[in-house]
Amino acid sequence: MAENGQSVGEYIAVKALENGVTVTGVTRGAENRFLHTEKLEEGEVWIAQFTEHISAMKIRGHAKVITAHGEIESGKN
C-alpha cells in the first residue's frame, strides 16, 4: 500500500516485435473477465500496472515482456 492508502502493483512493459500484438487485462474476483484490450504495432511499447482490479494480463503475438522478475518473449521467433 502507498502512503495515500491506494494499492500499488507491479509494472510490466510490453514491446511489440510484430504488428497486431494484443495486451488484455483480466479482472480478479469470482469470475475472470477481460477488462481492456490494447493493440500494438511493431516497435510500440505498452506499460501497464497490476491493480486491485487487474490480476492478470494476456499477451498475444510476438512481443518482449519486461518485468521486475526478468524478461520473456511471447509468440513465435
Side-chain angles (χ1 to χ4, degrees):
M1 286 251 174
E3 289 179 22
N4 61 6
Q6 294 181 341
S7 76
V8 177
E10 291 192 38
Y11 287 88
I12 68 165
V14 180
K15 181 176 182 180
L17 301 176
E18 67 180 2
N19 289 333
V21 170
T22 58
V23 181
T24 303
V26 181
T27 62
R28 68 175 74 236
E31 289 185 30
N32 292 341
R33 296 186 183 167
F34 296 115
L35 184 63
H36 178 84
T37 299
E38 190 68 31
K39 190 169 188 176
L40 305 176
E41 298 303 316
E42 184 176 2
E44 290 184 320
V45 175
W46 177 260
I47 299 172
Q49 181 183 29
F50 290 97
T51 67
E52 63 188 50
H53 301 292
I54 299 293
S55 63
M57 292 184 201
K58 176 180 177 181
I59 293 128
R60 177 173 284 165
H62 192 194
K64 181 184 282 190
V65 181
I66 304 152
T67 74
H69 304 283
E71 295 181 10
I72 190 167
E73 202 167 296
S74 68
K76 298 177 183 176
N77 292 335

